Amino acid sequence: MNLTTSAIITQKTEWKESSYIVQCFSKDFAFISFIAHGIKKTNNPNQETIQLYNELELKLSKSPSAELYTMQNTAILNKYCSGSSYNKLVCLSAVFELLRHIIINNEDLESVYKYVNQFLYHFKSINDNFLVYFARFTFQLLSIINPHFLPITC
């Protein structure tokens, strides 16, 4: 089975000598994992693409007997954390940890993905008050997946 999707890299785990198991938040499938074979080799042209919080156009394949997809090709759409501070990376990590713990209906997935992209694009220019932006992200996300959610305002 082959698939193509846009996705944001959320986690990388070393696997074998030159590969990673990569988890990403996808526009079409929510969270999905795949193997990036040979990505740690210095001559691999995709080495730059598999960085945390990069948005990619992914081409994946999976044989009927395989448990995970395998990366075939990728292209960078956006780099959301290039040169980010530790505090900013912690906040970005919290964003995706929150998404992992929320059930997102298929009909809301595209809206959530679009909102996450907008947040990440804006977040690139933020240099402080990360917790405030994370709280705002959380309230907006909850209102997308549950239109009846109305945060209490002070």
Side-chain angles (χ1 to χ4, degrees):
M1 173 172 30
N2 295 325
L3 64 92
T4 300
T5 188
S6 297
I8 300 165
I9 302 295
T10 62
Q11 187 175 3
K12 300 186 311 185
T13 305
E14 289 192 18
W15 188 67
K16 296 193 176 179
E17 189 174 307
S18 63
S19 303
Y20 283 115
I21 295 177
V22 181
Q23 186 179 66
C24 56
F25 181 66
S26 164
K27 178 172 81 172
D28 303 307
F29 306 101
F31 283 94
I32 187 170
S33 296
F34 63 90
I35 300 172
H37 287 291
I39 199 73
K40 293 192 280 185
K41 292 181 180 177
T42 55
N43 62 346
N44 190 313
N46 290 319
Q47 192 175 43
E48 170 87 10
T49 63
I50 305 297
Q51 300 300 323
L52 286 179
Y53 312 119
N54 279 356
E55 182 187 20
L56 309 174
E57 182 71 25
L58 288 170
K59 292 186 178 163
L60 305 174
S61 66
K62 182 177 175 183
S63 68
S65 62
E67 291 183 33
L68 289 175
Y69 286 94
T70 302
M71 183 182 78
Q72 300 303 310
N73 198 1
T74 183
I76 295 176
L77 300 175
N78 289 297
K79 290 183 177 185
Y80 288 122
C81 83
S82 182
S84 292
S85 70
Y86 174 76
N87 290 337
K88 190 178 257 192
L89 291 173
V90 168
C91 187
L92 288 173
S93 177
V95 163
F96 288 102
E97 192 62 31
L98 174 66
L99 286 168
R100 278 187 196 95
H101 289 28
I102 292 177
I103 298 171
I104 304 170
N105 295 324
N106 287 338
E107 57 268 6
D108 295 330
L109 186 55
E110 189 172 339
S111 297
V112 169
Y113 187 83
K114 183 178 176 182
Y115 176 64
V116 169
N117 260 325
Q118 289 171 345
F119 174 79
L120 293 174
Y121 181 79
H122 177 70
F123 197 71
K124 286 195 307 187
S125 64
I126 303 303
N127 294 316
D128 55 10
N129 298 321
F130 303 122
L131 191 55
V132 172
Y133 288 96
F134 176 72
R136 187 172 179 209
F137 168 83
T138 303
F139 289 132
Q140 184 64 33
L141 176 65
L142 291 174
S143 70
I144 290 171
I145 62 173
N146 182 359
H148 303 294
F149 174 78
L150 298 172
I152 299 171
T153 57
C154 298

